Amino acid sequence: MWYASRQAAGHAKLLFVSLFFALETAVTDSHRRKLPIGIQTFSDIREGNYYYVDKTPHIERLVNQNKYYFLSRPRRFGKSLLLDTLRCLFEGRQALFEGLYIHDRWDWQQRYPVIRISFADGVMQSREGLDERIREQLRVQREQLGITQHHKTDIPGEFSALIRAAHQQSGQRVVVLIDEYDKPILDNILVSERARELREGLKNLYSVIKDADPHLHFVLLTGVSKFSKVSLFSGLNNLRDITLSPDYATLCGYTDDDIDTVFEPELSGLDRQEIKQWYNGYRWGGREVTSVYNPFDVLLLFQEQEFGPYWFESATPTFLVDILKQRGVFTPRLETLQAKAQLLGRFDVDDITTEGLLFQTGYITIKDVQEPMLGYRLYTLGFPNREVESSLNDLLLPVLGINASEAQTHQLALFDIFQRHDLAALEAHLKALYAGLPHDWYRNNPIAQYEGHYASVFYSHFAALGLDVTVEDASHHGKVDMSVDVGGHIYLFEFKVVEQLPEGKALTQIKHKGYADKHRASSKPIHLIGVEFSSTQRQIVAFEVETLVKSS
């Protein structure tokens, strides 16, 4: 009797728990919306039951502070959606903004004519093709604004006439929104003559904006890169660049708070900390500025329910790898670059700094900012997250002499070694890796001209696997070349290049400098590894190991 009643109580409890979880799931599902993957039209998102992160607090500040703006952000960060939101706002489409921050702070009686031009679609490879695209866009804008009068002239004349006619017809000054303003140039950046030709064609169009000031209410140009005003915006000195403005650091992209609130129904079953490590970390400003996620990454993660390099695979321009290969990039340095503000903003057909290229395309981001002298800001740069670090290093392995098919085999072997923490196997694996580099490769690649090649192969091989790698891991006594935290163990690597014979200086330095001291409190086994490369043998000639285990 007692057993039967206890069994019944157990069934009742099980039923209650099942009903509770069923109810919780039903409530969660009822709050789920559609994921706006690839949706760049504000009305579609607002009317189609899609998730939307309210960016109108930033937009209200934007439209009330200045008149002319420029914003640079990497691809797939929501620039097109931002421009379409502005278009709907200036056109007075009040119903779309119900429930958003700006709804009760906007004068809906005021409506403005909007001219929106985009170079996002297609690839133009000639000045003639560009001019044809511009003329077609101007025609479409005239049609949408109901402007029937048109006198064909040159492109500046037609653009100027369109702005004046829109102002005259509506009685309100004009809003001009230009999306992917630089794409025709970037698509041809490796062909300098063609890129310069297309730059002049775009300059021909943008030059109109300065003299159209009496007819303009608001102007925003967005793109990936920031070309100098001299080369592309001659005379437009009042164009405010908000790329690195702390006020607009989260204008595009999702914050941690957005993920935890707006997308809370999508988080079930996913490791929140892994989401942060994989996809967060983009900063446009100093350490105190809120970092953001790439929206494309997060939305694909929620849809597929598995981690992957979604943004990297969809947005990596081919010219990036070509330029890095030409310049013989030292890959460990990508995590510790430094540049002043002017260098980050310098981008032109014949003057592309490596730091500016990687920053503007989204492969490195701002980690810290210091001002050693008044007005001189020095930015420390590095990879934003694990997705970019592992994916870019994986893409660069062929540049370092390891072809794609061999790279996968080597990575699987390295993963197995770290699962077993087999240091003898690690030494053999790395020696085989260097022995497999083609001999001709050393003569044909600029990266082989300096000693950093050995460390580049080493670091990129580890980083491509998605391991927790820190370059120049700082302690009170200095910086160890590389640390790896994997599988509950910590590996500290110091590299030296010798001419022929090993000298034993790498391991000695790790011990003498006390690089392991900062890690002792972790209670993890610490492996000190001194690696020496022979510049004549092109091989590892010393791999000295000492393991520190916390005493009980």
Side-chain angles (χ1 to χ4, degrees):
M1 186 75 173
W2 170 83
Y3 172 77
S5 62
R6 185 176 180 184
Q7 188 179 43
H11 285 311
K13 183 178 180 181
L14 182 61
L15 179 61
F16 173 78
V17 171
S18 299
L19 288 172
F20 174 79
F21 282 111
L23 179 62
E24 184 180 46
T25 301
V27 170
T28 300
D29 287 344
S30 68
H31 287 85
R32 296 182 76 171
R33 294 173 176 266
K34 292 189 287 186
L35 297 165
I37 300 170
I39 308 296
Q40 301 174 352
T41 305
F42 181 66
S43 60
D44 285 353
I45 289 178
R46 297 293 289 160
E47 295 172 343
N49 194 37
Y50 289 95
Y51 288 106
Y52 176 68
V53 173
D54 188 2
K55 296 294 184 181
T56 62
H58 302 297
I59 289 174
E60 189 212 17
R61 186 186 310 117
L62 191 74
V63 299
N64 288 326
Q65 282 190 350
N66 290 84
K67 181 174 178 177
Y68 297 95
Y69 290 98
F70 169 81
L71 174 69
S72 168
R73 286 291 185 270
R75 296 181 193 267
R76 296 193 178 275
F77 255 90
K79 301 187 298 295
S80 298
L81 177 59
L82 170 65
L83 290 184
D84 200 60
T85 305
L86 284 163
R87 177 182 65 84
C88 292
L89 183 67
F90 283 116
E91 289 177 349
R93 301 179 66 178
Q94 182 177 358
L96 296 177
F97 293 86
E98 286 281 354
L100 300 184
Y101 174 88
I102 206 169
H103 182 267
D104 297 330
R105 297 170 174 84
W106 187 257
D107 182 2
W108 296 106
Q109 302 305 310
Q110 285 273 49
R111 299 189 175 191
Y112 301 88
V114 178
I115 296 172
R116 183 174 178 187
I117 295 173
S118 174
F119 295 102
D121 296 332
V123 176
M124 284 150 280
Q125 296 182 329
S126 68
R127 174 67 182 273
E128 293 75 19
L130 174 63
D131 288 351
E132 184 179 344
R133 174 68 59 84
I134 293 172
R135 288 186 185 278
E136 173 60 17
Q137 294 212 45
L138 295 178
R139 183 195 67 77
V140 169
Q141 294 303 303
R142 286 194 298 270
E143 186 178 283
Q144 291 181 349
L145 291 169
I147 297 172
T148 55
Q149 194 173 21
H150 170 54
H151 300 290
K152 189 168 184 179
T153 177
D154 61 5
I155 284 176
E158 290 193 21
F159 189 24
S160 180
L162 171 59
I163 294 172
R164 291 195 308 272
H167 184 189
Q168 183 178 7
Q169 179 174 285
S170 66
Q172 296 291 341
R173 292 190 177 192
V174 180
V175 172
V176 173
L177 306 172
I178 300 179
D179 195 11
E180 302 289 1
Y181 86 101
D182 53 346
K183 187 173 181 294
I185 307 173
L186 294 181
D187 285 341
N188 297 277
I189 199 69
L190 293 180
V191 186
S192 298
E193 184 176 345
R194 187 190 302 162
R196 283 192 293 269
E197 180 182 314
L198 292 166
R199 182 189 63 189
E200 292 308 302
L202 290 171
K203 184 176 180 180
N204 197 36
L205 176 70
Y206 303 145
S207 64
V208 170
I209 295 174
K210 177 188 175 184
D211 290 335
D213 180 72
H215 307 285
L216 295 173
H217 175 72
F218 180 87
V219 175
L220 173 60
L221 294 90
T222 70
V224 170
S225 60
K226 179 191 173 185
F227 280 84
S228 68
K229 290 180 181 179
V230 174
S231 68
L232 205 51
F233 303 117
S234 181
L236 195 57
N237 297 321
N238 53 351
L239 191 66
R240 182 188 173 190
D241 181 6
I242 59 172
T243 300
L244 296 181
S245 170
D247 288 342
Y248 301 104
T250 60
L251 178 60
C252 294
Y254 299 152
T255 66
D256 270 320
D257 185 61
D258 296 330
I259 301 298
D260 293 332
T261 56
V262 177
F263 295 102
E264 189 273 335
E266 303 295 328
L267 293 175
S268 179
L270 293 169
D271 186 314
R272 184 66 183 84
Q273 187 59 28
E274 285 292 339
I275 297 175
K276 187 179 183 74
Q277 289 178 347
W278 262 82
Y279 300 123
N280 194 14
Y282 295 93
R283 286 188 181 88
W284 285 276
R287 183 189 296 273
E288 71 284 355
V289 169
T290 302
S291 60
V292 297
Y293 296 76
N294 177 278
F296 188 74
D297 267 331
V298 172
L299 296 176
L300 264 294
L301 169 66
F302 291 151
Q303 176 178 271
E304 302 298 333
Q305 289 292 297
E306 61 181 36
F307 291 85
Y310 301 115
W311 172 78
F312 190 91
E313 291 179 345
S314 69
T316 301
T318 55
F319 73 79
L320 175 70
V321 176
D322 291 336
I323 289 177
L324 293 179
K325 181 177 180 178
Q326 289 173 7
R327 297 180 179 182
V329 65
F330 176 39
T331 60
R333 186 168 170 258
L334 296 177
E335 181 61 16
T336 56
L337 290 169
Q338 286 192 314
K340 60 182 182 178
Q342 295 86 340
L343 198 63
L344 291 184
R346 184 187 302 165
F347 197 102
D348 211 340
V349 175
D350 301 308
D351 185 16
I352 307 173
T353 66
T354 302
E355 294 87 348
L357 170 67
L358 289 166
F359 173 70
Q360 293 183 26
T361 50
Y363 297 94
I364 58 175
T365 193
I366 294 171
K367 296 290 189 177
D368 193 19
V369 59
Q370 297 176 345
E371 195 168 5
M373 294 185 295
L374 187 64
Y376 186 98
R377 291 189 304 281
L378 185 65
Y379 292 99
T380 300
L381 309 166
F383 292 114
N385 51 46
R386 189 169 295 169
E387 177 205 12
V388 176
E389 181 175 20
S390 63
S391 298
L392 185 59
N393 277 287
D394 188 52
L395 194 66
L396 290 174
L397 286 175
V399 175
L400 298 170
I402 305 171
N403 67 48
S405 60
E406 290 177 345
Q408 179 172 314
T409 302
H410 287 307
Q411 286 169 7
L412 291 174
L414 184 62
F415 181 73
D416 177 64
I417 288 168
F418 278 124
Q419 282 188 315
R420 295 182 285 113
H421 300 289
D422 187 338
L423 294 173
L426 179 61
E427 177 182 2
H429 168 78
L430 292 170
K431 286 183 175 179
L433 179 73
Y434 283 93
L437 296 178
H439 186 76
D440 286 346
W441 185 90
Y442 285 94
R443 294 200 306 266
N444 300 329
N445 289 270
I447 195 172
Q449 294 171 7
Y450 56 86
E451 296 173 351
H453 162 64
Y454 303 102
S456 288
V457 172
F458 204 100
Y459 160 73
S460 291
H461 180 43
F462 281 58
L465 196 57
L467 300 176
D468 186 3
V469 178
T470 303
V471 175
E472 295 187 3
D473 191 4
S475 69
H476 292 302
H477 311 292
K479 299 177 180 179
V480 68
D481 284 335
M482 191 174 98
S483 70
V484 182
D485 190 336
V486 56
H489 289 230
I490 294 173
Y491 297 79
L492 303 180
F493 294 93
E494 184 69 25
F495 308 121
K496 298 292 182 185
V497 175
V498 297
E499 184 174 346
Q500 183 76 25
L501 299 176
E503 299 174 2
K505 292 181 179 180
L507 181 60
T508 300
Q509 180 170 323
I510 299 177
K511 296 165 66 176
H512 177 68
K513 294 286 188 178
Y515 292 145
D517 292 350
K518 66 176 285 188
H519 299 285
R520 292 179 187 274
S522 70
S523 76
K524 299 176 181 179
I526 304 171
H527 308 284
L528 315 180
I529 305 175
V531 183
E532 296 185 6
F533 303 96
S534 166
S535 57
T536 56
Q537 297 182 46
R538 297 168 182 164
Q539 181 56 277
I540 295 172
V541 292
F543 192 90
E544 296 183 291
V545 176
E546 186 170 316
T547 297
L548 308 179
V549 180
K550 185 177 181 181
S551 58
S552 56

